[in-house]
Amino acid sequence: MKCSLFVALSLALAASARPQYFSRRADFTLQNGKDAIALNDKFKTLTANSPCQAGEDACVNDQFAQCVNGKFVTQSCGSGLVCAALPLVNSAGTSITCTTAADRDARIAATGATSGSSSSGSSVAAASSTAASKTTSSAVASSTASTAAGDNSATGSATNSSDAQSSLTLLNSVIATGFANDGQDQPEAGQVASATSTNNFINFCATVPNLKITNGLQITQGSCNPAPMGVIASTANMPSCKFVNPKNGDKVPANQNFTIQMAIKNLNTGFFTNPNENYFAAPQTVDSNGNINGHSHVVVEAIPSLDTTTPTDPTKFAFFKGLNDKAQNGILSVEVGGGLPAGVYRLASINSASNHQPALVAIAQHGSLDDMIYFTVA
Ligand SMILES: *[C@@H]1O[C@H](CO)[C@@H](O)[C@H](O)[C@H]1NC(C)=O
Ligand SMILES: *[C@@H]1O[C@H](CO)[C@@H](O)[C@H](O)[C@H]1NC(C)=O
């Protein structure tokens, strides 16, 4: 993991004819890691009553804190998340956001920064102890569920940790009681009964023992994923994008480099996890503004004509690239090296959370979170 090359790729690497996925660890990376460690150490000394300067963001007791009138106003990060300073990936600096303790530690470790590593450990402990009071007061053991685990049951030894994020016991406080309702009390023609659960479906994958657990891998035969969906973005934070180049209907010269540019809003870009080890492997999270921490992708597919009515084959595409960098002035870009052969093409975005799952938002009825345009190469 400490090597100087990061493989910033997506499932495209194997399939795309144009691998261009390597970037060196930048000069600022180590410093960003050290700065993040120093900030997180400083945050541990803060309380809600610590003096602060207008506009200052910080973490206080694992909560996101903003300075208002010389005092911190804190906001909980939500279950399983802690507030942390993280090293920026694509430029010098740090950002303060809500994430998991594991993600914080992995991002800092990836910079190579180690100074303050012992204090980083103690901040994990601090996070655990705040969760502990919840655990002991409201733990419910699900003994029926554990006997049904079958082939997909965890092989690791059970723990009685008081840390809610390593405990194998479901907290009462996170049970979605609405999941026990199949919805048919409000019948609508054709509406089917929802599957129901009183334990958040925690052992759902035991009902499909023929499938592997997704386990961070892109399993081409399909799999069953036990990760919760996580933090759902509010209606004010629904991602949206529009292609700037090429634009819908544009003509692009054949076999010549061109740059795909996409304007994006309400996505905290620059967040992508290892697609070969962390695919769908953690819940969606949002930043302090409520925007999903994530990244986008673009995919170009050859189509027979502009007015084709035949569904496309998602296993085939002419160009695919994860847009892993932070947007510059609201624009994500990628060069299509060598361009494309003459033909008609469809260009689409795939806006995603950090762990590559599609962006999840608060309401069902909304405009498309992605863009799709058609262009001709001649
Ligand atoms: C947790 O495990 C420790 C060590 O095995 C044991 O001493 C303790 O009694 C356990 N606590 C509970 C609540 O089971
Ligand atoms: C074409 O694109 C490739 C890949 O991005 C790049 O290496 C190359 O320098 C570009 N060529 C020109 C003429 O811009």
Side-chain angles (χ1 to χ4, degrees):
M1 284 315 290
K2 291 254 162 103
C3 65
S4 62
L5 284 177
F6 285 110
V7 185
L9 74 160
S10 65
L11 70 168
L13 182 55
S16 167
R18 298 174 180 82
Q20 41 181 282
Y21 305 95
F22 300 92
S23 63
R24 285 189 179 280
R25 182 180 277 179
D27 299 337
F28 48 73
T29 301
L30 178 63
Q31 190 59 46
N32 287 357
K34 289 181 173 174
D35 291 349
I37 291 172
L39 271 174
N40 287 324
D41 286 346
K42 181 185 138 194
F43 294 159
K44 276 179 244 154
T45 67
L46 299 180
T47 70
N49 294 322
S50 299
C52 59
Q53 311 246 315
E56 184 182 348
D57 290 342
C59 301
V60 175
N61 296 329
D62 285 333
Q63 301 197 315
F64 185 79
Q66 287 175 302
C67 189
V68 178
N69 295 332
K71 276 191 70 174
F72 283 117
V73 176
T74 61
Q75 198 182 332
S76 172
C77 282
S79 177
L81 300 178
V82 296
C83 177
L86 299 180
L88 292 183
V89 176
N90 296 304
S91 55
T94 56
S95 66
I96 298 169
T97 190
C98 291
T99 187
T100 62
D103 178 61
R104 172 200 60 200
D105 295 344
R107 282 174 185 278
I108 291 173
T111 66
T114 51
S115 54
S117 58
S118 60
S119 51
S120 158
S122 69
S123 112
V124 174
S128 310
S129 64
T130 49
S133 54
K134 273 194 204 162
T135 317
T136 47
S137 62
S138 57
V140 284
S142 181
S143 55
T144 48
S146 62
T147 55
D151 286 347
N152 289 333
S153 63
T155 51
S157 59
T159 104
N160 73 355
S161 165
S162 59
D163 172 10
Q165 300 315 319
S166 58
S167 169
L168 296 182
T169 304
L170 181 62
L171 295 185
N172 238 336
S173 58
V174 302
I175 293 176
T177 53
F179 292 1
N181 169 18
D182 74 359
Q184 296 300 60
D185 52 337
Q186 299 282 328
E188 187 180 311
Q191 174 182 289
V192 300
S194 172
T196 58
S197 173
T198 54
N199 72 349
N200 287 7
F201 293 99
I202 51 173
N203 292 310
F204 169 76
C205 289
T207 68
V208 285
N210 52 318
L211 293 180
K212 289 182 178 156
I213 295 293
T214 310
N215 215 15
L217 307 179
Q218 297 181 33
I219 300 173
T220 53
Q221 300 87 348
S223 58
C224 184
N225 192 348
M229 295 186 199
V231 183
I232 308 296
S234 81
T235 53
N237 297 94
M238 298 194 286
S240 162
C241 62
K242 200 78 197 77
F243 286 107
V244 171
N245 189 67
K247 289 191 279 293
N248 192 46
D250 273 357
K251 291 192 170 51
V252 173
N255 305 315
Q256 283 181 34
N257 282 9
F258 68 97
T259 300
I260 295 173
Q261 291 180 305
M262 188 176 83
I264 185 137
K265 68 174 192 186
N266 291 350
L267 188 70
N268 186 23
T269 51
F271 285 78
F272 66 100
T273 59
N274 182 336
N276 295 324
E277 296 177 14
N278 305 108
Y279 189 70
F280 290 0
Q284 176 172 285
T285 60
V286 299
D287 69 7
S288 54
N289 297 317
N291 289 333
I292 295 168
N293 296 317
H295 60 279
S296 192
H297 314 78
V298 289
V299 58
V300 178
E301 294 164 85
I303 52 174
S305 66
L306 282 174
D307 58 1
T308 179
T309 56
T310 310
T312 55
D313 176 353
T315 66
K316 297 192 170 64
F317 43 82
F319 180 81
F320 187 106
K321 182 74 172 74
L323 303 178
N324 297 332
D325 290 343
K326 200 110 191 129
Q328 301 296 320
N329 299 318
I331 305 270
L332 292 168
S333 304
V334 60
E335 184 163 48
V336 182
L340 293 167
V344 180
Y345 294 89
R346 179 173 90 167
L347 167 61
S349 65
I350 305 174
N351 291 330
S352 308
S354 300
N355 289 76
H356 310 275
Q357 63 271 57
L360 296 173
V361 298
I363 55 171
Q365 297 190 359
H366 57 75
S368 176
L369 307 180
D370 282 294
D371 193 23
M372 193 175 287
I373 61 129
Y374 297 81
F375 66 101
T376 306
V377 174

